[in-house]
Amino acid sequence: MTMETLQTKTPPHLPAQAGGLTGKQKQKIKLLLMISPFLVVTFVFYYLPLLGWSFAFMDYIPGVPIFEQQFVGLKYFRIIFSGGNDFLLVMKNTLSLSFLGLATAPIPVIFAIMLSEVRHSKLSKTIQTLTSIPNFISWILVYAIAFALFSSQEGMINKILLDWHVIDKPLEPLISSTYAWYFQILIGLWKGTGWGAIIYIAAIAGIDQEQYEAAEIDGAGRFRKIWHVTIPGILPTFFVLLLLAISNILSNGFEQYYVFQNAMNSNKLEVFDTYIYRMGIANAEYAFSTAMGIFKSVISIILLLSANSLSKAVRKESII
Amino acid sequence: MRIKQRDFLFQFINSGILIVFAFSCIYPFYYLIINSLSNPADAANGIYLFPKNITLVSYEHLAQIPSIYQSVFISLSRTVVGTVLTVFSCAFVGFLVSKKTMPGRKWIYRSIIFTMFFNSGLIPWYMLMKELHLKNSFLLYVLPSMISAFYIILVKTYIESLPAALEESAEMDGAGLTTVFFKIIMPLSMPIIACVAVFSAVNQWNSWADNYYLVSDSNLNTLQYLLYTNLQTNMANMMNATSGGSSVTSMASSVQVTAASIKQSMTVVTVLPILLVYPLMQRYFVRGLMLGAIKG
């Protein structure tokens, strides 16, 4: 408000142009000119690819101009849902890993609460710093570390357990198909818990201290205070993140599961994101993979919008 | 008295669990470092706390791989160039959309935010990159990540919290938009700009999928990609050994040891920049995430 009124009073040493543009109009044009290169970049890298959705409806042959491709309608969507492919397996893996991920979503919350109970502030800072480091390394590095710890020949864990005669055959979590899901979830927790807790630590720090004092006067002990003050204080944050996670239920990411995949465990670790890569880029099944990508995006958007309206209805607050 | 005892017990157990978890987060890095610095033969028998017979032989072997220098160079340059581009464009766009006089401001901002929730998917993206001739081009690493809705939100929120009077007085004195941005907004927004810079640098350093999907020119390979191919070869060897069921002969095992130690030293080289930079930058991360969280 104040800014606009100021800008209408263009300083006298900046005369209006011959075209009769006022200073205000000139500034508007200038703003648009300045932002337009960035809007072009946004358009090119985020909106233009949407044209590629049309590949899903044609028998795409690389090299042939797009309007000369043969249009086949919903053929590829029918192929996907006919079940005559890996769709069910991929769906099962994707959903299982996502649900296990959702089931472990409270762990960063518990971690944050435990950390907030540490009275020694230097200790709690150090713990927080150390536990969030794994979040900042790539999945390839996580894999390299997992290899150093768990591989059957050079893995540290196996060496120790064999030396102590706890086991007499090396454990092979990296190539086991039986424990593949649980192993991945554990590794995900190792990587993400510390960082995931930061947002809850902030939420706990934001809780009014008077509430704790009031609870104490009412005779609440440590656990009662956590239950009646801390948890309600961070619940809204938890719900927002949970809803966002639910909308991403079919997109659990390419890198983790691709890096950890091998011939023995791929029947458990093939998820939509890795499958789309394998079919689309490695096998050049462009139409089929694009159709699968559309399916995934549409489900995510539907889930996000329903989560949003649910949040609006329940908490009177929208998340997007 | 009893209450005090119970409190002590709680603190003890609670901190104990947390310390064990913190240890498990940091020890693997330490383990890799001491192993890569030890004599490979000793490392093969297990070294857990202190390096044994310290030697740089693994690193010397690593230095003999010719492609490693090129990939370190590529990883470093994509990190520097990518970060500068991302920081500049996100900060500038964040500044521009904070201007109330921008025509269609709401729609422009929304169209950027929308990209956070909506994604065309891998294949259309891949085809477009090919169409734009970004396949086998260094620009592939730095151009598509230039605009990030999340960083723009962070910067815009921060700029809007700054006192408007400073900007107004500069404008009264006849300063143009760019002058205001570089002389006033940038210096005042240093905390959030540092946060965006560190986020984006870590991202660039860790990226390898674009390399994997679209780059076949080995001169453009990143360090992460090199490590990945190395690990895959190792995994294949291990799977063969396992399924063959053959015990590894002493000859073969000495070769294995070298492969293992090279791999470990390569992992250390790849992870070291993060380990060194992270403790210094942590406060910026945390601050940035909090700002994002308020908005998100």
Side-chain angles (χ1 to χ4, degrees), chain A residues 45-53 290 293-294 297, chain B residues 118-125:
Chain A
F45 289 110
Y46 293 99
Y47 288 91
L48 207 53
L50 289 176
L51 284 182
W53 277 22
T290 308
I294 294 175
S297 292
Chain B
F118 204 68
N119 194 311
S120 61
L122 176 64
I123 306 300
W125 180 83

Side-chain angles (χ1 to χ4, degrees), chain A residues 56-312:
Chain A
F57 305 96
M58 48 183 90
D59 273 328
Y60 183 80
I61 303 162
V64 177
I66 199 155
F67 35 83
E68 287 170 29
Q69 305 273 0
Q70 205 199 335
F71 183 77
V72 293
L74 294 177
K75 176 182 165 191
Y76 286 101
F77 289 93
R78 275 193 217 108
I79 293 181
I80 291 174
F81 298 118
S82 67
N85 48 62
D86 309 309
F87 181 73
L88 287 178
L89 177 81
V90 174
M91 184 61 117
K92 190 178 141 200
N93 290 338
T94 306
L95 288 180
S96 308
L97 284 162
S98 285
F99 279 120
L100 286 170
L102 290 177
T104 55
I107 288 181
V109 181
I110 296 169
F111 176 78
I113 293 175
M114 286 171 75
L115 199 60
S116 71
E117 292 292 329
V118 173
R119 219 165 290 139
H120 203 290
S121 80
K122 239 186 193 150
L123 179 67
S124 82
K125 276 246 163 62
T126 311
I127 292 173
Q128 200 192 325
T129 306
L130 295 182
T131 52
S132 46
I133 287 180
N135 178 64
F136 292 96
I137 64 172
S138 69
W139 278 107
I140 289 178
L141 285 163
V142 175
Y143 180 61
I145 287 169
F147 205 97
L149 296 186
F150 298 107
S151 84
S152 52
Q153 283 172 21
E154 51 193 76
M156 181 195 85
I157 306 280
N158 274 322
K159 270 185 222 155
I160 294 180
L161 293 181
L162 286 170
D163 275 357
W164 292 354
H165 301 288
V166 179
I167 51 171
D168 40 47
K169 236 177 40 192
L171 302 172
E172 281 163 354
L174 288 173
I175 53 176
S176 148
S177 141
T178 328
Y179 305 112
W181 289 343
Y182 310 105
F183 187 61
Q184 290 307 313
I185 292 298
L186 281 178
I187 286 185
L189 282 174
W190 177 78
K191 195 174 191 294
T193 299
W195 182 247
I198 282 186
I199 198 162
Y200 299 118
I201 292 167
I204 293 173
I207 295 173
D208 195 349
Q209 279 303 313
E210 281 177 26
Q211 288 193 49
Y212 287 105
E213 283 156 22
E216 209 161 320
I217 291 165
D218 289 344
R222 183 194 317 276
F223 293 102
R224 289 195 147 267
K225 274 191 280 182
I226 290 175
W227 187 251
H228 292 290
V229 183
T230 312
I231 290 183
I234 55 182
L235 219 49
T237 314
F238 179 71
F239 273 124
V240 170
L241 293 180
L242 193 70
L243 291 175
L244 289 175
I246 288 172
S247 76
N248 269 330
I249 215 159
L250 294 187
S251 319
N252 27 26
F254 169 80
E255 301 201 1
Q256 177 180 5
Y257 302 115
Y258 191 76
V259 165
F260 275 92
Q261 256 180 41
N262 54 54
M264 314 289 246
N265 64 18
S266 63
N267 62 330
K268 288 292 175 72
L269 295 188
E270 190 82 296
V271 294
F272 277 114
D273 289 319
T274 59
Y275 188 68
I276 287 172
Y277 162 76
R278 207 179 298 281
M279 295 305 283
I281 296 178
N283 295 354
E285 294 275 355
Y286 297 117
F288 178 81
S289 281
T290 308
M292 205 160 243
I294 294 175
F295 162 73
K296 208 171 68 93
S297 292
V298 169
I299 298 282
S300 303
I301 283 288
I302 292 174
L303 287 172
L304 182 70
L305 293 179
S306 356
N308 193 40
S309 47
L310 186 76
S311 155
K312 253 187 205 160

